[in-house]
Amino acid sequence: MTTQAAVSLVEGLPLRLRNFFARYPPQYYSSQAIPKVLPQQETFSSSSESSAVIKPAPSPFASRNTKVKLSKTKDADSVSYTDSLLRSDPSGLYPNPFLPYKNPETGRWRGAVISLRRQAELVKLGIKYGVEELLPPGRKSTEYKHARLIEKGLRVKGTGIGQKVKGHKWERSMKGKLEERKKAMLEMPEMIRLWKQVRLHIRFCIA
């Protein structure tokens, strides 16, 4: 992109995006500037065979969540693919403003500089003006949402393909009742005709 094209692109952006990019330059903070850390591959050999163990990329949310009970068979350092998308500058010089930050000196965490609500608003503006890839990676990004949807799927039981919600008893029996009601309405003329015949027969018998 030439300098004139970059200047014209910046001038066409709203003031909120321009202020954000002035404070967090895309060449340091964007999702393109921050490299994606691929899962590390560690090889070890045994007496019979050698195999490879792949560990996912580290995430700031993995080491921060201390209440999660990890199973014995699962590696404590392993994180999901969606958490690996939430990455920051590995050098620590340009921490991601969309993610929590751990102070290397004190070892204490601080919250994200920009709240989730403001992140969502910035992402909406980025999508509208076609500059979402210049924003830092975060939980409100389109890439993270799509990856999380694929990973988690539909959490509500019964809303998937070929599934149905149990529902209340009257909801489960409603279909059968409607079919019986429809059948009765279709047979109503024949029922009226039979009723008239029986009524006339009773009258003649009484007379």
Side-chain angles (χ1 to χ4, degrees):
M1 181 182 294
T2 61
T3 305
Q4 294 180 355
V7 171
S8 61
L9 177 63
V10 172
E11 290 179 352
L13 297 177
L15 181 61
R16 187 170 186 179
L17 281 178
R18 281 186 286 171
N19 292 338
F20 178 82
F21 289 141
R23 184 176 181 182
Y24 303 102
Q27 60 267 27
Y28 301 117
Y29 293 93
S30 66
S31 56
Q32 296 179 349
I34 303 175
K36 288 186 178 181
V37 182
L38 298 177
Q40 298 178 357
Q41 183 174 357
E42 296 182 359
T43 59
F44 62 93
S45 59
S46 60
S47 58
S48 59
E49 59 181 359
S50 61
S51 59
V53 178
I54 298 177
K55 291 185 177 181
S59 170
F61 293 95
S63 57
R64 193 184 183 197
N65 190 2
T66 58
K67 296 182 180 180
V68 177
K69 295 183 179 179
L70 299 173
S71 61
K72 295 181 180 179
T73 58
K74 189 176 181 180
D75 188 4
D77 296 332
S78 63
V79 293
S80 62
Y81 172 72
T82 53
D83 288 339
S84 66
L85 295 177
L86 304 176
R87 59 196 186 277
S88 185
D89 183 24
S91 64
L93 298 176
Y94 308 101
N96 190 340
F98 287 177
L99 300 179
Y101 173 72
K102 183 178 182 180
N103 192 321
E105 297 180 358
T106 61
R108 303 187 67 175
W109 286 90
R110 65 160 173 79
V113 178
I114 300 177
S115 64
L116 291 176
R117 179 183 62 83
R118 293 170 59 196
Q119 290 181 33
E121 294 174 352
L122 289 171
V123 169
K124 289 179 182 178
L125 288 175
I127 295 174
K128 182 178 180 180
Y129 291 92
V131 292
E132 184 187 3
E133 63 275 3
L134 300 180
L135 295 172
R139 288 183 173 272
K140 298 300 181 179
S141 64
T142 305
E143 182 184 12
Y144 178 82
K145 288 183 177 180
H146 287 174
R148 186 172 179 82
L149 181 62
I150 295 174
E151 182 179 296
K152 301 297 182 181
L154 297 173
R155 290 188 170 184
V156 181
K157 185 179 180 181
T159 57
I161 299 175
Q163 300 178 358
K164 64 178 181 179
V165 183
K166 180 180 179 181
H168 298 281
K169 185 177 180 180
W170 66 268
E171 292 175 334
R172 299 195 299 269
S173 59
M174 178 61 69
K175 185 177 180 181
K177 289 183 178 180
L178 291 177
E179 291 179 354
E180 293 178 359
R181 191 177 301 172
K182 181 179 179 180
K183 183 179 179 182
M185 293 297 294
L186 293 175
E187 296 177 354
M188 186 63 67
E190 182 66 18
M191 185 183 298
I192 294 174
R193 187 182 65 82
L194 293 175
W195 181 80
K196 287 182 177 180
Q197 288 181 356
V198 173
R199 186 180 180 186
L200 290 174
H201 179 70
I202 294 175
R203 279 187 177 183
F204 285 126
C205 291
I206 294 176

